[in-house]
Amino acid sequence: MTEIAISAARSQLGDLVRRAAHGRETIALTDHGHVAALLVSPQVIEDFEDALAIADYQRRKAEGTLEPGIPMAEVRKRLGLDGQ
């Protein structure tokens, strides 16, 4: 993780955002030596959210608290995929 002071980041913001977005590099913005915010790729957040959803599913499955699913035929019907 790259750390940069907020004051120094002002003049480099465009480059820092591109580095985070395309290079999947995490940029820590610091304020008086303490991390105040992170610049991360949206893909990193999406991957994190997916991992949390999977972990929650696995936890509920292990606890036996999963709700019943929707049958595939009903999903196809709701999506308008019947007869295709």
Side-chain angles (χ1 to χ4, degrees), residues 12-35:
Q12 304 175 48
L13 187 58
D15 180 55
L16 294 171
V17 168
R18 282 185 287 281
R19 284 169 49 189
H22 302 295
R24 295 184 68 138
E25 179 181 355
T26 300
I27 311 288
L29 302 177
T30 61
D31 188 25
H32 301 289
H34 301 296
V35 175

Side-chain angles (χ1 to χ4, degrees), residues 51-66:
L52 282 175
I54 290 168
D56 183 55
Y57 169 82
Q58 290 172 336
R59 178 190 54 79
R60 289 184 292 128
K61 184 177 178 181
E63 292 173 347
T65 59
L66 281 177

Side-chain angles (χ1 to χ4, degrees), residues 69-82:
I70 301 172
M72 180 58 82
E74 179 64 21
V75 171
R76 292 184 61 76
K77 181 179 175 184
R78 290 183 187 187
L79 294 176
L81 300 174
D82 283 355

Side-chain angles (χ1 to χ4, degrees), residues 20-22 24-25 39-46:
H22 302 295
R24 295 184 68 138
E25 179 181 355
L39 292 175
V40 297
S41 165
Q43 187 61 51
V44 170
I45 299 301
E46 290 170 14

